[in-house]
Amino acid sequence: MRVSERAQRTQVPGSAGAGVPPGVASVLSVLRSSAVVVDAEDRVLRASSAARAFGMVSDDRLVLDELLAMARLVRRDGEIRETEIQVGRARGRSRADGRWFAVRVAPLGSHGLVLVLAEDLTDMRRTEAIRRDFVANVSHELKTPVGALSLLAETVESAADDPEAVRRFAGRMQYESVRLTNLVQDLMTLSRVQGDEPLPDMRPVGLDEVTAEALDRCQIKASSKEIELAVGGQPGLKVRGDEELLITALRNLVDNAVAYSPERTRVVVSTRRVDDLNIEINVADQGIGIPDAEVERIFERFYRVDPARSRQTGGTGLGLAIVKHVTTKHGGEVTVWSKEGSGSTFTIRLPLLEPAAETPAAPLHTTAEI
Ligand code: ADP
């Protein structure tokens, strides 16, 4: 729930500052915290709308027993007190429900008035929890290849007299270190595109070049499964963006299309101008598809429909999170259509570069649209 600043300034109807020492009301109105003033009889003289909206005050009473008890103690001994409280947690639901507040209760003047200030910590707590989860996930993901490498190193040592075994284990060490490098590379890319700062390297970028480069980087993997990579759609389209990041995003989609498709199928990348303002890049495969219930989650970091399969294909679980953030950073969005057993089509939609200037004189037509 968000309560606007204007709303926070609103006073209790019918109790506009009554009994509150002069000047205090205006000070409270500029504070970001929810504020409540109670009088010597525990009646609420003034409450910000946020305090009401968050369920701390109802009519002229402090609803939460904990706050009321604190206000009485403070009135009695004049000591400032602090605590953290959770408001609006539904019965039987997890601790993540409801909102968290840091509360300070202090005496106000000498007539038994007490001030309750509550600062909303909910968003901070959520961000902290997400960060903690992410660090735990990263550590877990790093542990696997690092553990495998150290085991392999031990095995190589003990197989020093068997050149064939050494060669085999060295190959597996190489595989694990590639996995580790990919993971670190993806983490670095993700941290670049996750923040709020704009990308520094935005210039006109041709989609033909982005597509060619992305396909080039997937060619070896595709050939090993005899998967045909085809290009179609409208050539010559341009967007404003960071070329390397756009290539990375498209390569991730094509990489997945290849990884989650059976041998001897087809992956098609096509570009088209949707309207005066936008272009689309489609990546369509004839692969295993994604169950309806999972489609929502696949763009989350480290989320995999089938973790064992993703590990087998060398996936980091970060590919689609990168695609999502890169597209968002470019003012666009990524969507997916998928049918289990039939295939998936991922679509990146981006703003067209200088739409007015780019409008061709002749009507648009699509060449070899697939
Ligand atoms: P990964 O490294 O595991 O491929 P991604 O973030 O790229 O991680 O993708 C997340 C998950 O989404 C994958 O593990 C897979 O289950 C599913 N997925 C992504 N692309 C496709 C696709 N083209 N076809 C089927 N499933 C896909």
Side-chain angles (χ1 to χ4, degrees):
M1 189 191 324
R2 274 240 162 264
V3 176
S4 74
E5 251 180 74
R6 194 185 57 75
Q8 286 202 27
R9 266 186 241 128
T10 324
Q11 296 187 349
V12 183
S15 67
V20 176
V24 170
S26 45
V27 170
L28 294 184
S29 66
V30 295
L31 291 182
R32 289 171 64 95
S33 316
S34 308
V36 182
V37 178
V38 287
D39 69 8
E41 274 81 48
D42 292 336
R43 267 197 317 262
V44 171
L45 294 185
R46 188 194 151 87
S48 60
S49 304
R52 286 177 181 280
F54 292 139
M56 294 178 201
V57 172
S58 174
D59 295 328
D60 66 347
R61 292 280 146 191
L62 271 178
V63 177
L64 304 170
D65 292 343
E66 202 181 338
L67 287 188
L68 190 58
M70 260 174 102
R72 287 176 180 162
L73 282 174
V74 168
R75 188 181 301 121
R76 196 176 316 143
D77 62 14
E79 297 255 322
I80 296 174
R81 286 180 168 74
E82 287 180 337
T83 189
E84 280 192 12
I85 56 165
Q86 194 180 11
V87 178
R89 180 180 156 199
R91 202 183 291 269
R93 306 273 293 277
S94 81
R95 285 172 70 77
D97 294 321
R99 301 194 75 86
W100 282 95
F101 291 90
V103 178
R104 253 173 104 79
V105 184
L108 188 66
S110 52
H111 300 292
L113 299 190
V114 175
L115 170 65
V116 180
L117 286 176
E119 194 187 337
D120 193 348
L121 302 179
T122 319
D123 291 344
M124 201 179 81
R125 287 261 172 128
R126 274 190 199 137
T127 314
E128 263 171 30
I130 292 171
R131 198 169 294 154
R132 256 198 320 272
D133 274 6
F134 183 60
V135 171
N137 278 331
V138 169
S139 318
H140 176 78
E141 299 284 338
L142 286 171
K143 245 170 73 186
T144 320
V146 169
L149 273 172
S150 108
L151 251 163
L152 284 163
E154 272 174 38
T155 322
V156 166
E157 202 175 25
S158 57
D161 303 333
D162 180 353
E164 181 48 40
V166 168
R167 218 168 289 131
R168 204 169 59 242
F169 292 129
R172 288 194 35 207
M173 284 172 92
Q174 243 163 26
Y175 173 82
E176 293 298 340
S177 54
V178 167
R179 250 181 85 177
L180 207 51
T181 312
N182 289 346
L183 182 57
V184 171
Q185 182 63 50
D186 276 3
L187 284 169
M188 281 162 58
T189 308
L190 197 59
S191 84
R192 247 185 90 198
V193 293
Q194 261 186 168
D196 290 336
E197 332 65 70
L199 294 170
D201 257 348
M202 300 288 268
R203 1 192 118 130
V205 176
L207 291 187
D208 299 342
E209 289 75 26
V210 170
T211 307
E213 185 60 34
L215 288 177
D216 200 44
R217 294 186 195 179
C218 300
Q219 193 59 61
I220 295 177
K221 213 164 145 184
S223 302
S224 72
K225 289 175 81 175
E226 292 179 55
I227 288 177
E228 182 195 347
L229 298 181
V231 187
Q234 187 178 354
L237 296 172
K238 283 192 176 147
V239 294
R240 175 170 291 281
D242 178 314
E243 185 167 25
E244 194 50 42
L245 284 178
L246 289 172
I247 292 171
T248 302
L250 189 57
R251 192 207 55 204
N252 287 353
L253 291 183
V254 179
D255 237 357
N256 281 348
V258 171
Y260 301 104
S261 291
E263 295 185 347
R264 287 180 286 283
T265 52
R266 211 163 174 241
V267 172
V268 181
V269 179
S270 58
T271 46
R272 72 183 189 106
R273 181 167 166 169
V274 195
D275 52 34
D276 282 353
L277 300 174
N278 299 291
I279 60 91
E280 267 180 13
I281 313 171
N282 285 291
V283 179
D285 65 50
Q286 301 167 321
I288 58 173
I290 302 156
D292 282 348
E294 315 265 1
V295 166
E296 286 281 305
R297 304 206 55 192
I298 55 169
F299 293 96
E300 290 172 21
R301 293 172 304 198
F302 296 122
Y303 190 83
R304 290 130 164 157
V305 176
D306 177 353
R309 179 164 185 147
S310 160
R311 207 145 291 138
Q312 235 174 39
T313 57
T316 63
L318 294 174
L320 290 181
I322 291 174
V323 175
K324 188 180 89 181
H325 285 288
V326 169
T327 339
T328 311
K329 266 266 167 352
H330 284 81
E333 60 170 2
V334 55
T335 51
V336 57
W337 171 93
S338 188
K339 193 160 188 286
E340 251 189 298
S342 302
S344 312
T345 299
F346 285 79
T347 301
I348 291 179
R349 180 184 275 238
L350 295 171
L352 182 66
L353 176 70
E354 291 156 20
E358 295 279 312
T359 308
L364 282 176
H365 70 283
T366 310
T367 52
E369 186 157 44
I370 308 173

